Amino acid sequence: MTLFSRYVFRQVANAFVIILVTLTTIVWLATALKQLDLIISQGQGFVLFLKMTVLSLPGLMALIAPNAMLMASLYTLDRMNGDSELIVMTAAGAPVWRIGAPFVVLASMVCVVILICNLWVMPASMRALRALITQVRTDVISQVLQPGRFSSTEPGLTFHIRDRSPTGDLLGLLVHDERDDKLVMSYLAERGRIISNDDGAYLVMFDGHVHRYEVKDPSKGVQIVAFDQYVLNISDFSPKDTSSKELRPRERYLSELLNPDPNLLKNKGASGQLRTELHDRFSTPFYPLLFAFLAVAVLGHARTTRESRWAQILVAAGIAVGLRVSGLTASNLVTLSAGATPLVYVIPIGAIIVAALVAHVRMSPELRSKLSLQLKFVPDNIKFWTGRGIVAK
């Protein structure tokens, strides 16, 4: 690239990075707020909270990057026109794509990054996020044993502790188990300790009582047994994960989308969802390039600095929204029918070609002059063929 092209590239790249980081941070904060329950109510550490929110970033950035590219391109072109840089370069006889080439180069780089993210980074991060969520759901030790709270991992099972000692012991422990319709068990202990090994997790209770009550034979009353030490297996107390164990389409690698498990295809709608995800991963990288061409087509030509360009910016934004909505609609159609698959690619690629042609015409004074002359002589030809042109001649 020439010196001017490198200058334009730095300007739009800086704007793109700032806008991308800003938008991603806003969306990340909104996502992170939903995960605060891990720290506030479930006792998870900040490191796990940070991991879960960071693992969602690749998918977020892949969605935000095209919009950031559009906003950065519009901002840079509007600023360059306001500083008369476009006017000077046009007056100096700069080639048609001297101004637009840096935008296309940056958009192409963004397309490659999004493609890599869609094919490899996002599935890996989504799987890691799924594993962490499963760990949180099944980790009874960190999930329910919170001081001063009555917590339940499942109906009929309640835990409570008064406090934790500096050594990590559980003080004032209560475990109430009424999951069995025939037998109700309550464990009370002065203190307890969690021990984990390869065989599972165990709650060792010291200096307490076991209260046993048979529901079908109330005449026996409550049977109380004192103990100095009692070991309770709490591995089975983990909450049951009722969510589907099947990986979602966004969590599958490219090889799994190209060659899905035949058993998976037996599920209703699975084939359409996998097909949509596969083509979305290849089609969405075209949108940064499309938005760059669109911005150049609308704002790439020089205009007087006294003329407001907000109308053109709104037109470009409206067209971009319309194209993106059309792409999403095409993706939904692909889920229903494989015959709609070409639409997913035709919309962005066709729009890129049209925007490139429009930009080439609008940024070329010679082409605009020829086009104006052709349009100017159309009425004369019409007059000539009506007979009035012959009289004038």
Side-chain angles (χ1 to χ4, degrees):
M1 291 188 293
T2 62
L3 180 63
F4 178 77
S5 297
R6 291 196 297 270
Y7 164 75
V8 176
F9 181 85
R10 287 195 301 271
Q11 296 298 314
V12 67
N14 291 337
F16 171 77
V17 171
I18 293 174
I19 294 174
L20 179 63
V21 171
T22 302
L23 293 179
T24 304
T25 302
I26 294 174
V27 177
W28 178 80
L29 288 175
T31 304
L33 290 176
K34 297 179 181 180
Q35 304 294 342
L36 280 179
D37 184 64
L38 294 173
I39 294 179
I40 298 174
S41 63
Q42 297 185 8
Q44 299 293 338
F46 180 76
V47 175
L48 180 60
F49 165 77
L50 190 61
K51 285 182 180 179
M52 294 185 66
T53 53
V54 169
L55 285 174
S56 63
L57 288 181
L60 293 176
M61 295 184 68
L63 294 175
I64 296 173
N67 301 323
M69 187 69 223
L70 174 65
M71 298 172 66
S73 300
L74 294 176
Y75 165 78
T76 303
L77 288 171
D78 183 62
R79 187 195 61 78
M80 291 178 63
N81 187 80
D83 294 343
S84 301
E85 293 173 342
L86 294 182
I87 298 175
V88 172
M89 291 302 298
T90 303
V96 174
W97 284 104
R98 178 68 60 81
I99 298 172
F103 296 89
V104 176
V105 171
L106 177 62
S108 301
M109 296 171 61
V110 176
C111 292
V112 173
V113 173
I114 292 179
L115 182 62
I116 295 174
C117 180
N118 286 347
L119 297 184
W120 294 287
V121 179
M122 185 181 67
S125 65
M126 295 295 290
R127 289 194 178 195
L129 179 60
R130 180 190 181 94
L132 284 177
I133 292 176
T134 302
Q135 175 186 340
V136 170
R137 287 177 177 175
T138 57
D139 188 1
V140 66
I141 301 173
S142 60
Q143 189 181 67
V144 301
L145 300 182
Q146 301 300 311
R149 293 189 57 195
F150 288 91
S151 304
S152 178
T153 60
E154 58 180 295
L157 183 63
T158 305
F159 289 85
H160 179 271
I161 59 173
R162 185 180 69 251
D163 200 358
R164 289 180 183 268
S165 69
T167 59
D169 288 350
L170 310 174
L171 306 179
L173 176 63
L174 167 65
V175 181
H176 182 71
D177 186 2
E178 55 181 0
R179 294 174 297 173
D180 191 342
D181 295 337
K182 300 179 181 179
L183 184 64
V184 177
M185 301 286 290
S186 297
Y187 306 88
L188 297 93
E190 290 294 329
R191 60 188 181 91
R193 183 177 304 160
I194 299 294
I195 299 177
S196 301
N197 54 35
D198 295 337
D199 297 329
Y202 299 90
L203 175 60
V204 182
M205 296 177 284
F206 303 93
D207 302 327
H209 299 82
V210 178
H211 292 212
R212 176 189 175 103
Y213 177 73
E214 295 184 12
V215 178
K216 291 190 176 182
D217 193 1
S219 60
K220 293 184 179 180
V222 179
Q223 302 174 20
I224 302 176
V225 178
F227 62 82
D228 295 328
Q229 181 174 317
Y230 191 94
V231 179
L232 184 64
N233 188 348
I234 62 174
S235 298
D236 298 333
F237 290 175
S238 299
K240 305 299 185 295
D241 187 8
T242 57
S243 61
S244 175
K245 295 182 180 180
E246 290 290 343
L247 294 174
R248 293 178 298 176
R250 291 177 65 86
E251 298 170 349
R252 296 184 180 274
Y253 291 111
L254 180 62
S255 59
E256 296 173 318
L257 295 176
L258 292 174
N259 301 296
D261 186 358
N263 295 327
L264 178 63
L265 297 179
K266 296 179 181 179
N267 299 333
K268 184 178 179 181
S271 177
Q273 294 175 0
L274 295 176
R275 182 172 57 246
T276 300
E277 179 64 25
L278 173 63
H279 293 290
D280 276 349
R281 294 189 185 185
F282 286 102
S283 62
T284 52
F286 287 107
Y287 283 92
L289 193 61
L290 165 59
F291 291 162
F293 275 106
L294 177 62
V296 173
V298 177
L299 295 180
H301 60 289
R303 300 289 292 270
T304 173
T305 57
R306 290 175 293 181
E307 181 180 353
S308 175
R309 309 193 90 186
W310 277 106
Q312 294 173 308
I313 293 175
L314 293 178
V315 168
I319 295 175
V321 171
L323 291 172
R324 194 66 189 98
V325 171
S326 300
L328 294 175
T329 304
S331 297
N332 293 332
L333 293 177
V334 171
T335 305
L336 302 176
S337 173
T341 300
L343 286 176
V344 176
Y345 300 96
V346 169
I347 291 175
I349 296 176
I352 288 174
I353 296 174
V354 173
L357 291 175
V358 173
H360 188 70
V361 171
R362 297 192 72 185
M363 295 174 64
S364 175
E366 296 82 3
L367 291 176
R368 290 204 308 271
S369 299
K370 292 179 181 180
L371 185 61
S372 299
L373 289 175
Q374 292 176 359
L375 295 176
K376 180 179 180 181
F377 285 110
V378 168
D380 294 336
N381 293 334
I382 294 176
K383 290 179 181 180
F384 177 80
W385 290 110
T386 57
R388 286 179 292 176
I390 297 177
V391 175
K393 188 175 180 180

